[in-house]
Amino acid sequence: MIKLRTVAEEALAGVLTDGMTIAVGGFGLSGVPYDLIEVVRDSGVTGLTVVSNNMGVDGKGLGLLLENRQVVKVIASYVGENKLFARQYLDKVLDVEFSPQGTLAERMRAGGAGIPAFYTRAGVGTPVAEGKPHAEFDGHLHVQERGIVADLALVHAHTADEAGNLTYRAAARNFNPLVATCGRVTVAEAEHLSDGFIDPELVTTPGIYVNRLVVARERTKEIEQRTVRPRVTVEA
């Protein structure tokens, strides 16, 4: 199977439909599949459910889909720095399902592993556990959480080979390996394409999970919040 596509539009051709569920890698603005998100925006698909740790910031990353009113539901761990996300949630324009961060990660891992549900102590006694089955294990109450299987998974990697094997860099790894496993169709963008096959010992996401691949275009790395302080000169 030839997985490599020339441009992001080709990588998502024939995949996007109204009302689909899309899992998206990234944490804040790190490891976000910007090229693929922009194609989703430009496609005009609507009624989307987005599964992601957060929705980026205003005007960047998944915030573009909120601005375009393409998203009707978000499954995330927090609202974060996106004012539009918060406003649409408070105005009841957007349905938001909050999930503890570790639970969200495990829900995607479980979906990718074929596990329909699991129990956790996280969230017991809080609104995130309301209406969900509970059970006691080892003297502690647990809440049942469902695994997540998305129609489409969008992933950002540092390096890929033509077989779709992926590696990630530092914090940009975040949710991407989990997202890659839980999509019925997984499309990855990578900053670099390896000349040959990546050493199997270095592969984080095996190519079996990746259906399509594209090399991401060069862009300035976004910083969610830049904090600096004056450089201190130390005298010898």
Side-chain angles (χ1 to χ4, degrees), residues 26-46:
F27 188 103
L29 296 178
S30 177
V32 176
Y34 291 104
D35 289 9
L36 297 174
I37 290 172
E38 290 173 3
V39 173
V40 175
R41 177 199 60 188
D42 295 343
S43 74
V45 291
T46 59

Side-chain angles (χ1 to χ4, degrees), residues 34-107:
Y34 291 104
D35 289 9
L36 297 174
I37 290 172
E38 290 173 3
V39 173
V40 175
R41 177 199 60 188
D42 295 343
S43 74
V45 291
T46 59
L48 302 175
T49 294
V50 173
V51 183
S52 188
N53 178 68
N54 62 290
M55 292 295 287
V57 301
D58 296 274
K60 297 177 182 178
L62 288 169
L64 298 176
L65 304 187
L66 293 177
E67 288 184 352
N68 221 24
R69 292 296 181 94
Q70 292 171 270
V71 183
V72 295
K73 181 177 180 178
V74 174
I75 302 175
S77 68
Y78 79 116
V79 173
E81 305 299 323
N82 195 313
K83 295 179 181 179
L84 180 59
F85 184 10
R87 184 161 62 250
Q88 289 187 359
Y89 168 58
L90 294 173
D91 291 343
K92 298 183 179 181
V93 173
L94 194 64
D95 181 15
V96 179
E97 178 184 335
F98 287 109
S99 182
Q101 199 166 81
T103 300
L104 180 62
E106 180 63 12
R107 290 179 67 187

Side-chain angles (χ1 to χ4, degrees), residues 175-206:
F175 280 81
N176 278 294
L178 302 169
V179 168
T181 67
C182 78
R184 293 187 175 93
V185 175
T186 295
V187 180
E189 63 175 54
E191 296 178 31
H192 305 280
L193 184 66
S194 175
D195 291 333
F197 293 116
I198 297 172
D199 182 344
E201 295 294 330
L202 302 178
V203 170
T204 305
T205 296

Side-chain angles (χ1 to χ4, degrees), residues 151-232:
D151 299 307
L152 174 65
L154 304 181
V155 173
H156 179 90
H158 182 262
T159 303
D161 61 28
E162 292 192 13
N165 298 305
L166 308 177
T167 65
Y168 307 90
R169 182 177 181 275
R173 177 169 174 168
N174 53 64
F175 280 81
N176 278 294
L178 302 169
V179 168
T181 67
C182 78
R184 293 187 175 93
V185 175
T186 295
V187 180
E189 63 175 54
E191 296 178 31
H192 305 280
L193 184 66
S194 175
D195 291 333
F197 293 116
I198 297 172
D199 182 344
E201 295 294 330
L202 302 178
V203 170
T204 305
T205 296
I208 190 67
Y209 289 108
V210 179
N211 300 96
R212 298 182 185 179
L213 170 70
V214 67
V215 177
R217 66 181 179 86
E218 291 187 15
R219 63 172 74 218
T220 302
K221 300 283 186 179
E222 300 285 357
I223 298 176
E224 194 167 349
Q225 291 190 19
R226 184 185 296 274
T227 56
V228 296
R229 62 184 178 184
R231 185 181 297 276
V232 177

Side-chain angles (χ1 to χ4, degrees), residues 128-149:
V128 300
E130 292 177 0
K132 298 176 182 177
H134 288 64
E136 187 174 305
F137 298 94
D138 301 322
H140 297 284
L141 193 61
H142 293 64
V143 60
Q144 184 190 97
E145 295 284 356
R146 294 296 305 272
I148 292 174
V149 178

